[in-house]
Amino acid sequence: MVKMKSRNELSRNISFIAMGFMVLFSIATLRAYFLQVLKSGELTELIQSQYRTSVELMPHRGTVYDRNGAELAASIEVESLYAHPGLIRDTRAAAKLLAPILDLPLHAVYRDLTSSKPFVWVQRKVTPTQAEQIRALKIEGLGFLKESQRFYPQKEIAAQVLGFVGVDSQGLEGIERQYDSIIKGKSRKLFADRDAKGRHVFVEGLQPSDQSRQGNDLLLSLDKNIQYIAEKELQAAVTLSQAKSGTAIVMDPWTGEVLASAVCPLFNPNQRSETDPDAWRNRAITDIYEPGSTFKTFSIASAIEEGTVKPTDMFFCENGAYHIASHVIHDHGSYGWLDVANIIKHSSNIGASKISRQLGKEQLYQYIRRFGFTAETGISLPAEQSGFMPSLKNCSEHTQGAISFGQSITVTPLQMVTAYSSIANGGMLMQPQIVKRIVDSTGAVVKQNTPVMKRRVISEKTAGIMRDMLKQVVAPGGTGTKAAVEGYVVAGKTGTSQKIDQGGYSHSKVMASFAGFVPADAPRLAIIVLVDEPQRMKFGGEIAAPAFSRMANAILNYLHVPPDAAPAQDPGLLKEIRTEPVKLAKLDEA
Amino acid sequence: MYNKSLTQSVILFVPVILVGLGIMMIYSASSIAAAERFHDGMYFLKKQALFGLCGIGCMLVMMRIPYGFFKRCAYPLWGASIGLLVLVLIPGIGVKVGGAVRWLHLGPLSFQPAELAKLSVVILLAYCLAKKENERLKDFSIGVLPHLLLVMPMCLLIVIQPDFGTCMMIVVLLFVMLFAAGIKKRFVLGLGSIGLVAAALLIAAKSYRMERLMTFLDPWKDSTGAGFQIVQSFLAFGSGGFFGAGIGRGTQKLLYLPEPHTDFILAVIGEEMGFIGVVFVIGLFVTIVACGIKIAMNSYDLFGTYLALGIIVLIGLQTVINMGVVMGLLPTKGIPLPFLSYGGTALLVDMSCMGILLSISEQCHFMGKA
């Protein structure tokens, strides 16, 4: 009986254990249900994310053209070498074969080929010869993807305006940077999945990027040939005077379109790594300078516009030394009584400061701002400077005098040429523009920029008076006679400003400049030429004026502008202005 | 109700089905890795098929040996196991794989003494418990202490390898067997708490065990590091869904799921055969356990009862622990899934166990039928 009893107890315990097992197996089943039915979707999503790897491919970057459709910046297709490290059978041998072709250290290639990643770039943008040699090796696990490489077919031309791109085709400077989002297009992600053998394969294959993802093209206002002329003549002036650098801008005074924007020294963006980063800057907008005598045009125009001074008024020029409080203002020559035209013609600082005194500093400041100084022009280029002048309440009588002849105020070359354009076109301050059109890859116009008048600064009458005075500068006896162009009347002004050096004005470092327009009575071009720190021929009239002359001569010829005898205003240009919508919103801006 | 022929058919055929399924899934899980490592995609398939045949041979031999024979084997087998476990620890004889010495190499074959040790513990406990009257088992010095003294050295040798999982499994096996034998409740509780304290100490002693435990508690916290394995297992189960991706179409086994053909074979089944496949496998194990329990309850003598129970607890525990691990219910342990996971020693031992069960069932009395 004892045995029976123990047997029963044993049976009971075994049943208990059996039940325990059934409970455990039920839990396992429920767990499987939870993972495989309830959470299946969530986990499947997770799994896909880990199977997928992606490679970002840059699309074809848009082309930048000049106004006539010449390519300034283009993208060419080049091949980049990639590897699926897991697929390479003999990594060591492959690395030994590749390294000399790619001219890379063996260990670097070996490291790439042994990467645990499913996809690695071995070398971006290889040459066609390298690609051919590597293809001939027939190494499994290597492949090429087409990428686009930026190329500047005109080499140095307009390099500082265009800027350049980085290795991933991202715009780093200039137009390339400012318009990066517009011309770069949509990048394309290539997804790679694992095939049945665990290898990565590209899902959609590796076709070259489709059209819809391509970047937009830009049509600039620049003219390749005008740009070339400007650069050539500027370079010649800089070389001749042994200057540090130079800047020149050619603008259509009626539209504000920049036709050329040259900076010396030049650099070739195709070989950017071999050039001095100092040369990459677009000095036309990034560098400010004291304009010197070229600025007198605006202080005097303001006084005439306000009526505080009549062109026939005479001013005593103190025989070359004018005491204001504790300061002395000097002229280059010793002048007695001069009328306004002769003050400009002989570039009398004393005369200019006396004229501005009659205008009053509040009015002077207002006009300076209306001419567009001390504010960014809003041209669509990166890193534009605004320049500055002392605040009104800190402006002493002497400071006011200094401003009137272009000291104590800083401007950019672009502001200056835009302001001269307003004299040339009869008093309208135009919005400077560099991009005329944005066109998509199918050729449809995305955006068309039309000339925009920011405001009228002075009346046509005042502008006409100024134009006549500026003609005198270039006429015999003036400071800018060397700016004259045979067959055309030139209006302009020289400037020679001492640069600030170690706290004071330097006697040896100057900025020599000439700003003007031509033909004076039917202007087609407004041009500024700046020569920074010339070692010889240190006056604007000596170095910048001749450069202006040669530039203007070549450009007028190129544009087939008839020699003077042309009507007072070119009807073609006027028509363009009037038929295209002009934004008036900014007219009342102070 | 006990239906002898049905029970015997289940114990005979279900393991063979499982082994067949295992071979198929091992091939699916390992062919790529095998092709890379051994330049033979069928490497693991061939070996496991060979083991499977040997296993069936073992089963057929065992079922013809009257199980009473194992009474005589109890102590020698125990001794042999201890000896082999000592041998495996001697440097130069034991083979180190993944930081643990678990294998002995015999020519081209390798052998895992711990697998044999499990079976020897079952046989020894069955023999010792069956010898004693129920009333005497209530006495601590007779019912508990001798068994502890016999099993503990074995556990110690296994934990030194280190194979914490197998050690814990043997402890649980001992505990379940003593519970079945009817030792006093307070001994059960006392032993249970001592076991827990010992386990806690062992976990705290090794930082990687602690890490495993923390990982188990929240695998997603470090899903690319410590939690990687279990998270990948989750993903395999999840992506399989209800019907599975289809045999051979799983992707987790390719690179992400570590050792998919051994411990994580159920994850591969889960991915390729879906929830249906997993339920099918669980169902097969349930029938084996249920039939084993029937055999235990109907066996001719106490030794047969304990032996059958021990075997079924051994197989059942390994199954439940493995499933718990791959589905993230238990911390990661190196316990294979009986019949399915790749591994020769385990398969031979498991199939031998089935043979012994059949031998026991041969002498069952026919309750209900009579």
Side-chain angles (χ1 to χ4, degrees):
Chain A
M1 275 326 275
V2 169
K3 199 167 180 180
M4 259 337 269
K5 190 195 161 205
S6 73
R7 189 96 208 194
N8 284 343
E9 192 190 346
L10 184 59
S11 293
R12 205 176 59 233
N13 288 346
I14 291 174
S15 304
F16 208 76
I17 291 165
M19 273 159 57
F21 270 118
M22 293 312 127
V23 169
L24 292 176
F25 279 118
S26 303
I27 291 173
T29 310
L30 286 175
R31 179 65 175 176
Y33 182 77
F34 172 80
L35 287 175
Q36 303 199 264
V37 180
L38 297 184
K39 289 275 177 187
S40 177
E42 207 177 301
L43 292 168
T44 307
E45 259 172 50
L46 269 171
I47 210 168
Q48 272 163 358
S49 68
Q50 86 175 358
Y51 282 129
R52 285 224 141 163
T53 51
S54 62
V55 180
E56 196 168 6
L57 281 190
M58 287 299 145
H60 188 83
R61 193 175 174 85
T63 308
V64 180
Y65 299 100
D66 86 339
R67 63 190 297 125
N68 301 315
E71 288 186 350
L72 298 178
S75 287
I76 49 174
E77 292 216 312
V78 290
E79 292 188 297
S80 288
L81 176 66
Y82 69 83
H84 293 314
L87 287 185
I88 299 169
R89 286 193 179 278
D90 190 345
T91 319
R92 200 172 289 274
K96 270 186 189 147
L97 287 168
L98 285 178
I101 297 175
L102 295 171
D103 198 20
L104 288 173
L106 182 63
H107 63 88
V109 177
Y110 185 72
R111 191 189 55 222
D112 284 339
L113 299 187
T114 49
S115 162
S116 60
K117 291 184 199 152
F119 177 99
V120 285
W121 289 118
V122 182
Q123 175 76 321
R124 303 283 289 273
K125 299 172 183 174
V126 299
T127 66
T129 329
Q130 286 173 326
E132 203 178 303
Q133 285 176 292
I134 293 164
R135 279 211 177 83
L137 297 176
K138 293 204 169 84
I139 299 173
E140 198 189 351
L142 295 180
F144 290 96
L145 276 179
K146 284 203 162 70
E147 288 200 286
S148 81
Q149 160 111 320
R150 207 56 163 167
F151 177 63
Y152 301 90
Q154 316 288 347
K155 303 196 178 91
E156 288 87 354
I157 295 203
Q160 289 92 346
V161 175
L162 297 171
F164 44 79
V165 299
V167 70
D168 282 314
S169 294
Q170 73 280 26
L172 295 178
E173 289 284 352
I175 289 280
E176 297 275 26
R177 175 168 168 191
Q178 186 77 17
Y179 286 87
D180 195 38
S181 61
I182 290 167
I183 58 180
K184 77 175 174 196
K186 271 197 217 126
S187 67
R188 195 162 62 116
K189 267 200 170 162
L190 283 183
F191 290 100
D193 271 359
R194 281 164 187 243
D195 67 6
K197 287 182 176 175
R199 299 166 173 182
H200 276 81
V201 285
F202 285 106
V203 182
E204 303 154 73
L206 294 173
Q207 295 84 20
S209 48
D210 55 295
Q211 228 179 25
S212 64
R213 294 170 185 277
Q214 284 189 17
N216 295 321
D217 295 340
L218 294 182
L219 193 81
L220 301 188
S221 61
L222 295 183
D223 183 309
K224 180 190 85 174
N225 297 311
I226 298 178
Q227 179 76 28
Y228 171 72
I229 293 164
E231 284 174 4
K232 189 182 83 176
E233 297 302 343
L234 180 68
Q235 180 70 63
V238 166
T239 310
L240 182 67
S241 61
Q242 295 161 6
K244 199 173 83 175
S245 68
T247 307
I249 307 170
V250 181
M251 184 178 267
D252 180 335
W254 298 95
T255 61
E257 287 175 351
V258 176
L259 300 175
S261 179
V263 174
C264 275
L266 305 165
F267 80 97
N268 182 349
N270 298 320
Q271 283 134 25
R272 179 164 58 87
S273 54
E274 298 157 23
T275 60
D276 181 2
D278 201 41
W280 300 348
R281 211 163 69 236
N282 184 3
R283 294 164 203 251
I285 54 162
T286 62
D287 284 21
I288 51 173
Y289 71 107
E290 291 194 12
S293 302
T294 52
F295 199 71
K296 285 173 187 154
T297 305
F298 307 106
S299 51
I300 290 170
S302 313
I304 291 173
E305 175 72 10
E306 278 300 300
T308 58
V309 167
K310 289 197 293 293
T312 49
D313 286 352
M314 301 291 282
F315 291 87
F316 180 58
C317 291
E318 310 280 347
N319 294 316
Y322 176 37
H323 294 261
I324 301 179
S326 58
H327 297 274
V328 188
I329 292 175
H330 291 283
D331 274 346
H332 294 291
S334 168
Y335 306 111
W337 289 90
L338 291 176
D339 66 6
V340 179
N342 276 303
I343 284 172
I344 288 209
K345 181 168 184 169
H346 297 293
S347 199
S348 165
N349 294 341
I350 296 166
S353 47
K354 285 192 171 181
I355 291 169
S356 85
R357 268 181 86 180
Q358 288 195 11
L359 176 65
K361 63 179 178 182
E362 288 81 5
Q363 293 288 355
L364 179 66
Y365 267 57
Q366 201 193 334
Y367 273 95
I368 288 172
R369 293 200 176 104
R370 288 180 63 79
F371 271 113
F373 297 107
T374 70
E376 290 170 22
T377 66
I379 194 171
S380 47
L381 286 170
E384 189 185 3
Q385 295 294 306
S386 60
F388 51 86
M389 57 182 173
S391 70
L392 192 56
K393 69 173 196 289
N394 289 336
C395 179
S396 67
E397 211 173 319
H398 167 257
T399 308
Q400 185 196 341
I403 290 171
S404 74
F405 54 85
Q407 279 188 358
S408 302
I409 180 169
T410 55
V411 303
T412 64
L414 182 67
Q415 287 172 340
M416 198 50 126
V417 77
T418 310
Y420 265 90
S421 290
S422 74
I423 305 285
N425 67 26
M428 299 177 289
L429 187 75
M430 301 305 292
Q431 166 67 54
Q433 290 181 342
I434 189 90
V435 173
K436 273 177 88 75
R437 250 203 306 284
I438 301 170
V439 181
D440 74 15
S441 55
T442 64
V445 174
V446 176
K447 191 182 176 201
Q448 171 84 44
N449 286 327
T450 53
V452 174
M453 182 176 99
K454 280 176 146 177
R455 65 185 85 97
R456 173 166 286 285
V457 188
I458 51 173
S459 66
E460 273 191 48
K461 190 184 159 207
T462 307
I465 293 167
M466 291 313 298
R467 192 157 58 219
D468 289 339
M469 289 183 184
L470 292 174
K471 284 188 217 167
Q472 292 303 308
V473 174
V474 187
T479 53
T481 49
K482 289 180 177 169
V485 180
E486 201 186 341
Y488 301 90
V489 179
V490 172
K493 181 75 193 81
T494 56
T496 307
S497 45
Q498 293 163 308
K499 291 182 78 177
I500 291 178
D501 189 23
Q502 294 165 349
Y505 283 103
S506 163
H507 291 288
S508 57
K509 292 181 180 172
V510 297
M511 180 74 87
S513 64
F514 187 90
F517 46 91
V518 63
D521 293 312
R524 292 288 301 271
L525 308 167
I527 302 175
I528 184 167
V529 178
L530 284 150
V531 179
D532 190 6
E533 293 183 23
Q535 301 301 307
R536 320 164 45 216
M537 299 183 283
K538 291 189 178 180
F539 292 100
E542 279 182 308
I543 184 67
F548 174 97
S549 168
R550 281 191 294 273
M551 237 177 248
N553 188 35
I555 298 167
L556 291 168
N557 273 326
Y558 164 68
L559 293 176
H560 303 297
V561 176
D564 271 307
Q569 282 177 337
D570 187 321
L573 281 168
L574 264 185
K575 199 174 148 215
E576 189 181 350
I577 279 276
R578 282 175 191 154
T579 51
E580 287 182 307
V582 171
K583 285 182 191 161
L584 299 173
K586 289 182 176 175
L587 265 180
D588 297 326
E589 205 176 78
Chain B
M1 286 297 121
Y2 178 67
N3 183 328
K4 183 175 165 182
S5 64
L6 177 67
T7 307
Q8 285 188 330
S9 307
V10 167
I11 298 299
L12 187 63
F13 292 114
V14 172
V16 176
I17 294 171
L18 283 171
V19 171
L21 179 66
I23 290 170
M24 186 169 76
M25 298 319 292
I26 285 164
Y27 176 63
S28 169
S30 69
S31 60
I32 302 289
E36 272 176 25
R37 266 161 64 189
F38 306 104
H39 301 289
D40 178 8
M42 310 252 276
Y43 179 82
F44 291 108
L45 172 120
K46 287 176 187 163
K47 285 190 84 174
Q48 186 73 353
L50 189 65
F51 291 134
L53 288 176
C54 294
I56 291 168
C58 285
M59 182 165 75
L60 295 176
V61 170
M62 289 297 175
M63 66 185 279
R64 278 172 174 73
I65 297 173
Y67 66 91
F69 166 77
F70 294 108
K71 286 183 188 170
R72 278 180 279 159
C73 290
Y75 281 106
L77 208 53
W78 177 81
S81 293
I82 294 274
L84 289 168
L85 285 172
V86 171
L87 208 60
V88 89
L89 289 174
I90 297 169
I93 298 177
V95 176
K96 199 164 188 164
V97 176
V101 263
R102 291 177 192 172
W103 283 266
L104 282 177
H105 272 199
L106 305 167
L109 300 171
S110 54
F111 175 75
Q112 234 180 321
E115 293 295 329
L116 184 65
K118 290 177 199 167
L119 181 58
S120 77
V121 166
V122 167
I123 294 172
L124 184 73
L125 283 176
Y127 173 65
C128 291
L129 290 171
K131 259 196 330 197
K132 290 155 191 167
E133 291 289 326
N134 178 266
E135 286 310 311
R136 289 170 64 207
L137 285 170
K138 303 278 184 204
D139 191 338
F140 182 77
S141 61
I142 294 166
V144 179
L145 196 60
H147 308 115
L148 277 182
L149 290 175
L150 287 169
V151 174
M152 280 309 142
M154 219 172 241
C155 286
L156 202 65
L157 286 168
I158 291 171
V159 89
I160 294 173
Q161 286 187 355
D163 188 352
F164 184 65
T166 303
C167 167
M168 284 308 288
M169 216 200 55
I170 291 176
V171 170
V172 175
L173 176 74
L174 169 68
F175 183 80
V176 173
M177 292 293 280
L178 290 179
F179 166 80
I183 60 165
K184 284 181 179 168
K185 295 251 157 45
R186 64 168 185 270
F187 295 155
V188 176
L189 289 175
L191 270 180
S193 6
I194 290 168
L196 281 178
V197 171
L201 286 174
L202 279 170
I203 287 170
K206 294 274 187 199
S207 62
Y208 73 87
R209 284 181 192 141
M210 200 67 185
E211 195 180 293
R212 273 183 187 177
L213 190 67
M214 299 316 291
T215 302
F216 160 68
L217 294 175
D218 185 10
W220 296 98
K221 192 177 149 196
D222 185 13
S223 63
T224 53
F228 182 78
Q229 213 168 339
I230 192 64
V231 163
Q232 294 307 327
S233 183
F234 285 160
L235 294 179
F237 276 104
S239 72
F242 197 86
F243 294 106
I247 291 166
R249 298 214 178 142
T251 45
Q252 280 294 85
K253 67 201 181 191
L254 296 177
L255 279 159
Y256 292 113
L257 198 60
E259 297 296 308
H261 59 297
T262 59
D263 292 1
F264 281 84
I265 192 78
L266 189 68
V268 179
I269 294 173
E271 186 182 9
E272 303 195 348
M273 298 172 73
F275 178 62
I276 292 180
V278 174
V279 168
F280 176 67
V281 169
I282 292 174
L284 292 182
F285 278 107
V286 167
T287 58
I288 291 176
V289 170
C291 291
I293 295 283
K294 284 277 182 198
I295 292 167
M297 289 173 83
N298 293 288
S299 73
Y300 173 75
D301 59 6
L302 267 178
F303 177 64
T305 300
Y306 283 121
L307 190 56
L309 180 67
I311 284 168
I312 230 59
V313 169
L314 182 69
I315 300 292
L317 268 181
Q318 291 189 84
T319 306
V320 167
I321 290 172
N322 177 277
M323 288 181 172
V325 168
V326 297
M327 290 194 283
L329 294 172
L330 290 169
T332 329
K333 289 285 151 286
I335 303 280
L337 188 58
F339 309 117
L340 287 166
S341 287
Y342 174 79
T345 319
L347 190 57
L348 295 187
V349 170
D350 293 341
M351 294 300 274
S352 302
C353 285
M354 293 300 106
I356 296 169
L357 263 188
L358 287 169
S359 166
I360 298 166
S361 77
E362 204 47 48
Q363 293 174 45
C364 280
H365 30 221
F366 305 89
M367 288 168 81
K369 211 178 182 183

